[in-house]
Amino acid sequence: MRQIAHTVALAATAIGLMAGIAGHAEAEAKKYKIYLSNNFVGNDWRQQMERVANVSVSKGPLEGRVDLKIENVENTVQAQINSLNNIIRSKPDAILIDAGSDTALNPTIKKACDAGIVVISFDQVVTEPCAYALESDWKRIPAVMAEWMAQQLGGKGKVFVDRGLAGAPISAALEKGYLDVLKKYPGIEVVGSYNGEYALGPEQAGVASLLAAHPQVDGILTQGYGSGAIKALQDAGRTIVPVVGFTYNSSALACAKTEGAKCILGSNPAYLSSEAIKLAVDILDTGKKPAERHVLVNGDFLATAPFKSELYPDAVTQVIEIGKNAFPDAPPGLTLPITPDWVTITAAEASGS
């Protein structure tokens, strides 16, 4: 009888272990419904952001794990709130939000959290404590680039500053970051501002309008391409001045090919959407939350000449080289770098070509 009881106990233990393994495998294989709420699609970055989100759930570790639905709304806070309320009613596992306001969406986001939905704001992040905030380091990026500009100008000169996209949290952070550093240099004067909207046309038009009103400008700090500012200078027959921009392929090429151009380009990778999806799946799989609400992504800077930041000594700056980090055969609006390290997204996939 003792032997029979022992055999039954072993069998029960084995069944329990098998059930546990099966349960774990089932948990790992579970498919999650995830929504991505995007308030603006009027530039290359946002379009690439959506493409890489779709690609990242079609292969690699997330293949078959995510039913991803992207909801684009017009660029008003109320439109995004209305869309989010509809999404919440559909009871998804997670919602990812590229937000039109850092505060106005908070009550709606809190409603989602209270319903047990994992909420991750990314790129343009929110202040609601229950939502994770995955973003580039928007204190570091403008500080390094404004420091570079001050060095180029020798601490003296007149500059234009891009205000970005009206109402966008990152735009406010970038403008503040530029101005906070420039204030340390009494010889540098901001003589004009414009709304570049992270798009090439508005950037070029905004700079062109300011050039018509100001006979002297010594530097331009954009929140977008930088190449639009260079083109406006060329069209106006003005001297090419130091320009701050971001790592679009056309920006890197313009800086590398334009005679006399001096540039620094900050990196805000479009694959933040992919990182947000992966973070959501990790939280849903394990139930474990990140140690910090804020999850920061640091990309390399590109510049026309070596630069070492004193404010952030660990910031990495690559010298722009055609064929290495500027690609004549790739689409001009391609944002660099293209892919996170846990999945391979090609330039063709990221650009939709």
Side-chain angles (χ1 to χ4, degrees):
M1 290 294 293
R2 185 177 299 172
Q3 180 63 41
I4 293 173
H6 180 65
T7 302
V8 170
L10 285 174
T13 300
I15 292 170
L17 286 171
M18 291 173 65
I21 293 169
H24 181 66
E26 183 180 351
E28 285 188 342
K30 184 176 179 181
K31 190 169 188 175
Y32 299 113
K33 181 166 71 172
I34 297 178
Y35 273 84
L36 191 160
S37 170
N38 180 37
N39 78 309
F40 180 73
V41 289
N43 61 36
D44 294 317
W45 193 98
R46 293 291 182 106
Q47 294 166 35
Q48 183 177 333
M49 176 272 288
E50 293 190 354
R51 283 192 292 267
V52 297
N54 279 315
V55 172
S56 64
V57 299
S58 69
K59 59 182 180 179
L62 297 184
E63 182 179 1
R65 300 295 320 280
V66 176
D67 175 14
L68 179 66
K69 301 180 185 298
I70 297 178
E71 291 275 337
N72 288 309
V73 298
E74 61 185 85
N75 187 25
T76 68
V77 169
Q78 191 57 51
Q80 192 162 30
I81 288 173
N82 293 343
S83 176
L84 285 170
N85 279 326
N86 289 332
I87 290 171
I88 292 167
R89 281 192 284 270
S90 73
K91 299 180 180 179
D93 296 291
I95 303 174
L96 318 176
I97 304 173
D98 203 336
S101 167
D102 59 342
T103 57
L105 304 181
N106 285 355
T108 308
I109 289 171
K110 183 64 164 59
K111 186 190 304 182
C113 294
D114 290 345
I117 299 168
V118 172
V119 181
I120 299 172
S121 64
F122 72 98
D123 181 35
Q124 306 278 359
V125 300
V126 300
T127 58
E128 168 53 49
C130 77
Y132 300 101
L134 188 148
E135 60 182 333
S136 296
D137 191 337
W138 294 114
K139 290 184 179 179
R140 174 193 186 101
I141 292 171
V144 169
M145 296 200 293
E147 178 191 7
W148 174 90
M149 178 63 75
Q151 184 184 101
Q152 296 299 311
L153 300 182
K156 297 179 181 180
K158 301 178 185 293
V159 300
F160 299 157
V161 174
D162 185 356
R163 290 186 296 247
L165 182 66
I170 287 176
S171 293
L174 279 172
E175 184 181 15
K176 183 178 185 302
Y178 290 155
L179 297 178
D180 283 350
V181 171
L182 295 179
K183 286 174 184 174
K184 299 175 182 178
Y185 300 88
I188 296 179
E189 180 186 1
V190 177
V191 296
S193 299
Y194 66 97
N195 286 6
E197 299 180 6
Y198 311 142
L200 194 55
E203 176 185 304
Q204 185 172 334
V207 172
S209 178
L210 289 174
L211 288 173
H214 296 279
Q216 179 186 347
V217 64
D218 303 298
I220 303 173
L221 297 94
T222 84
Q223 295 193 21
Y225 290 77
S227 54
I230 290 173
K231 184 65 166 60
L233 288 164
Q234 292 173 323
D235 289 348
R238 303 282 281 270
T239 300
I240 303 301
V241 300
V243 171
V244 162
F246 280 81
T247 54
Y248 293 96
N249 190 43
S250 63
S251 307
L253 289 170
C255 291
K257 292 181 176 181
T258 303
E259 185 177 355
K262 296 179 180 179
C263 308
I264 190 169
L265 306 175
S267 173
N268 179 39
Y271 64 72
L272 288 177
S273 57
S274 303
E275 296 286 11
I277 296 169
K278 189 170 187 299
L279 176 59
V281 171
D282 288 344
I283 292 170
L284 291 165
D285 275 350
T286 65
K288 295 180 180 178
K289 301 177 180 180
E292 299 289 339
R293 175 182 172 261
H294 271 90
V295 180
L296 297 179
V297 177
N298 287 322
D300 291 354
F301 295 86
L302 300 181
T304 45
F307 172 68
K308 183 68 174 177
S309 170
E310 294 181 5
L311 295 174
Y312 290 90
D314 62 334
V316 177
T317 301
Q318 299 181 27
V319 174
I320 299 171
E321 296 181 41
I322 293 177
K324 178 181 177 182
N325 45 33
F327 306 99
D329 297 330
L334 189 68
T335 298
L336 310 171
I338 296 166
T339 182
D341 57 10
W342 48 268
V343 66
T344 300
I345 299 172
T346 67
E349 290 171 330
S351 64
S353 61

